[in-house]
Amino acid sequence: AQSVTQLDSQVPVFEEAPVELRCNYSSSVSVYLFWYVQYPNQGLQLLLKYLSGSTLVKGINGFEAEFNKSQTSFHLRKPSVHISDTAEYFCAVSAQYNFNKFYFGSGTKLNVKP
Amino acid sequence: DAGVTQSPTHLIKTRGQHVTLRCSPISGHKSVSWYQQVLGQGPQFIFQYYEKEERGRGNFPDRFSARQFPNYSSELNVNALLLGDSALYLCASSWGGTSGSRAGFNEQFFGPGTRLTVL
């Protein structure tokens, strides 16, 4: 099976500052990796995904993530955050042979302060 | 195009009761997966259905069951509700095929969820 660890439960940051949300995964098989955002009382919105190819993945709203196979990490970054980025972010992994079954991390709450 | 829809939006039940949650996938999608998201945690996989057959089951008790209909919509049923079943239940749909011209990864799209409160 696969598992995901999100190392920070909460990340406070000031507006226009850079941010990194950390994600490490565990798997014995090849995986796909994802970052989702969840705004209060809403479902999950896909930010970006890594399937193959370039290890630097760009997503929506200026977010990007880098896949590091040797460190089994998939950290999410944004060079300059906005108040509107305040939300909860989830890292997820799925096995390539069973990509409809996601394993999610416990989430990181990003709190952007003015 | 309409996204994944779920009903009802909110639901309040008491312990011991039964609940049915419904999900309509995106048109053309044949796979539906169900997730439970307890407050403060990430979603946990419950079931996946593809072409009306169960293709995966998470670590949930037999009180949880699901089915998929010929139109690919799905129901999640939970019997003998416990306080711990209070959660946001998310449905996700995808084309779901693993062979043919569309073999390989196809993206899952999540619905807005049903908030279940058990008192």
Side-chain angles (χ1 to χ4, degrees):
Chain A
Q2 292 72 50
S3 67
V4 174
T5 301
Q6 291 185 242
L7 299 166
D8 306 295
S9 60
Q10 296 193 49
V11 173
V13 64
F14 287 105
E15 194 173 18
E16 298 184 5
V19 71
E20 178 179 83
L21 306 184
R22 296 180 293 170
C23 171
N24 286 88
Y25 71 93
S26 173
S27 177
S28 58
V29 299
S30 297
V31 297
Y32 298 131
L33 293 156
F34 309 85
W35 275 99
Y36 282 86
V37 61
Q38 187 175 41
Y39 298 99
N41 300 314
Q42 294 189 27
L44 298 171
Q45 180 183 6
L46 180 67
L47 277 178
L48 49 78
K49 59 184 181 284
Y50 174 78
L51 304 182
S52 64
S54 173
T55 56
L56 183 62
V57 179
K58 293 189 183 297
I60 63 171
N61 301 339
F63 284 94
E64 63 180 33
E66 186 157 19
F67 170 56
N68 187 320
K69 189 173 182 179
S70 63
Q71 297 187 5
T72 61
S73 68
F74 190 55
H75 300 332
L76 182 70
R77 302 186 184 99
K78 187 170 184 178
S80 175
V81 295
H82 302 288
I83 296 288
S84 60
D85 292 324
T86 295
E88 190 154 22
Y89 293 78
F90 292 94
C91 181
V93 64
S94 69
Q96 289 188 10
Y97 69 85
N98 189 9
F99 45 75
N100 285 303
K101 183 176 182 179
F102 282 13
Y103 295 85
F104 285 87
S106 55
T108 297
K109 290 183 180 177
L110 177 63
N111 184 15
V112 182
K113 304 176 181 180
Chain B
D1 286 340
V4 178
T5 59
Q6 293 186 244
S7 62
T9 305
H10 296 88
L11 201 53
I12 299 175
K13 293 284 189 178
T14 56
R15 282 177 297 174
Q17 284 189 311
H18 163 270
V19 68
T20 298
L21 310 181
R22 294 177 176 85
C23 172
S24 293
I26 291 171
S27 177
H29 284 188
K30 300 181 179 180
S31 171
V32 169
S33 297
W34 287 95
Y35 291 82
Q36 180 197 62
Q37 186 180 14
V38 172
L39 194 63
Q41 298 182 19
Q44 284 202 313
F45 174 80
I46 311 175
F47 286 110
Q48 187 217 348
Y49 276 77
Y50 175 66
E51 289 281 16
K52 302 181 288 293
E53 291 185 0
E54 183 183 301
R55 291 297 182 92
R57 173 185 286 256
N59 188 23
F60 281 80
D62 291 343
R63 299 184 297 108
F64 288 76
S65 64
R67 56 180 176 168
Q68 188 176 33
F69 299 98
N71 67 353
Y72 303 110
S73 66
S74 178
E75 284 183 353
L76 175 70
N77 295 283
V78 187
N79 292 323
L81 285 167
L82 304 174
L83 294 179
D85 295 331
S86 295
L88 179 69
Y89 288 85
L90 296 166
C91 172
S93 82
S94 72
W95 178 73
T98 56
S99 62
S101 61
R102 296 184 66 177
F105 175 82
N106 47 93
E107 184 175 336
Q108 282 198 100
F109 294 85
F110 284 84
T114 293
R115 174 76 61 188
L116 172 63
T117 302
V118 182
L119 302 177

